[in-house]
Amino acid sequence: MRVLVTGASGFLGSRLVWQLRSHGHDVVVLLRPTSDRSRIAAAAPDVALGDITDPASLRQAMRDVDAVFHTAAQYEMGAKDPTSLERVNVDGSRNVFGAAGEAGIPTVYVSSVAALGPTGATPETEGHWARDEPVSHYQRTKREAHLLARRFQDEGVDVRIASPGGIYGPTDTSTLGRLIKLYMTVPMPIVAFRDAMQSTVHVDDCADGLLRMLEHGEPSAEYVLCAESVTMKEWISAMMHAADKPEPLFYVADDHVARIGRYVEWLVHAFDGPHELIHEYIATAVHSFAYSGQKARDELGWNPRPLDHGLRQMAAAFGR
């Protein structure tokens, strides 16, 4: 099978490219001329120059391919230019779904549990849709794109929606990746955040789930790709344990963090600092996003690694 991957130079997209190649698929990657190809160069995919914000380049890239994996997205907390998130995450996704619909080929789209919204402590499934207002521009645009994918489904376009939890793994340069490295390498007697539930998935298991969605999933189906849900305290504790570091002596409760955060945000704003980043990061971290990947296990044969296993692999990559 010949497949197109958007976002192929990124953390998840690059791992997907390698898995597709290992399964014998021909791979075309949509890249901008300035994209860093270091993660995928050795996989030697075919390259189509273009951008998801350019419909013509998408239509050209989709010639003679059998399916599309749409992993491209802009992940940014406290964005100085929210219109950029709108242009990439919403308008870009509309372009991908439209071009794939014209070509009559399926698209596996990477959404996020952030789009489905906050939960309680009990893990939710694919049918959950919270009525809470989005707490960040990223969440808002991923929610809009998720609804857009569903509208294309209603119009007969085969868009298969994956909703991963927090994706982690070696070589992650996102905010989450930098935080995990910080927790694993720097002594921290006191840690903020304790109570909210978060869903996790290793990057290679997420890529495996996407591949299974194409090979074994139903047309226009939705799958949550989460290995397990844990409290922030349990997640941070697992990071410390994986790196053979002593656990923090004290965890600050989420309600205290939220109250303190308002004062910190005001102070940073007063000095023209990145107050939106602080606001969105805290607002996201104090909400639970607990989801179950049982449907993917049952229907796709997906078998993600436990969190402690994945974190030990990360610690080894950091030389711990």
Side-chain angles (χ1 to χ4, degrees), residues 69-287:
F69 287 92
H70 178 32
T71 77
Q74 182 175 339
Y75 174 70
E76 184 179 357
M77 301 297 285
K80 293 182 179 180
D81 180 17
T83 61
S84 176
L85 287 166
E86 183 83 23
R87 186 170 59 254
V88 174
N89 295 346
V90 182
D91 296 340
S93 294
R94 181 185 291 108
N95 294 337
V96 172
F97 304 150
E102 291 176 12
I105 57 177
T107 299
V108 178
Y109 165 57
V110 181
S111 182
S112 168
V113 296
L116 303 179
T119 69
T122 302
E124 296 285 355
T125 60
E126 289 76 5
H128 180 74
W129 191 263
R131 300 193 178 191
D132 308 55
E133 285 296 315
V135 297
S136 68
H137 292 298
Y138 171 74
Q139 185 188 6
R140 176 183 59 79
T141 56
K142 291 300 284 187
R143 173 164 280 218
E144 290 178 9
H146 197 111
L147 290 174
L148 188 62
R150 288 177 174 175
R151 287 199 289 274
F152 272 89
Q153 289 176 338
D154 291 340
E155 294 170 5
V157 179
D158 183 3
V159 181
R160 307 178 191 191
I161 305 174
S163 297
I167 304 174
Y168 70 95
T171 76
D172 182 11
T173 58
S174 72
T175 301
L176 176 59
R178 292 194 298 270
L179 282 173
I180 293 177
K181 185 174 183 179
L182 182 68
Y183 285 130
M184 286 184 166
T185 56
V186 178
M188 290 191 175
I190 300 176
V191 172
F193 307 116
R194 183 190 70 183
D195 310 302
M197 300 284 293
Q198 299 295 328
S199 299
T200 69
V201 62
H202 190 278
V203 63
D204 288 330
D205 295 326
C206 186
D208 175 61
L210 298 177
L211 181 55
R212 289 172 182 271
M213 285 176 63
L214 178 64
E215 294 181 338
H216 308 295
E218 293 294 325
S220 297
E222 294 195 29
Y223 294 94
V224 165
L225 297 180
C226 295
E228 56 192 289
S229 294
V230 294
T231 64
M232 290 293 289
K233 180 179 180 180
E234 290 170 335
W235 196 352
I236 294 169
S237 175
M239 294 177 202
M240 304 296 200
H241 185 263
D244 294 323
K245 286 180 56 181
E247 289 192 36
L249 300 176
F250 185 72
Y251 291 83
V252 183
D254 290 1
D255 55 348
H256 294 321
V257 174
R259 284 197 294 269
I260 295 170
R262 285 195 291 270
Y263 293 106
V264 174
E265 182 185 342
W266 175 84
L267 183 63
V268 172
H269 191 195
F271 286 91
D272 198 28
H275 63 284
E276 281 290 342
L277 172 63
I278 294 171
H279 172 77
E280 291 190 356
Y281 177 68
I282 292 176
T284 299
V286 299
H287 281 81

Side-chain angles (χ1 to χ4, degrees), residues 4-6 8 10-22 27 40 68-71 108 110 203-204 206-212:
L4 174 69
V5 180
T6 74
F11 178 46
L12 173 61
S14 61
R15 300 309 305 163
L16 176 61
V17 168
W18 281 99
Q19 290 202 26
L20 287 164
R21 295 291 284 163
S22 71
V27 181
I40 57 172
V68 180
F69 287 92
H70 178 32
T71 77
V108 178
V110 181
V203 63
D204 288 330
C206 186
D208 175 61
L210 298 177
L211 181 55
R212 289 172 182 271

Side-chain angles (χ1 to χ4, degrees), residues 181 184-185 242-243 312-320:
K181 185 174 183 179
M184 286 184 166
T185 56
R312 283 197 300 272
Q313 292 176 324
M314 280 196 75
F318 295 148
R320 303 298 296 177

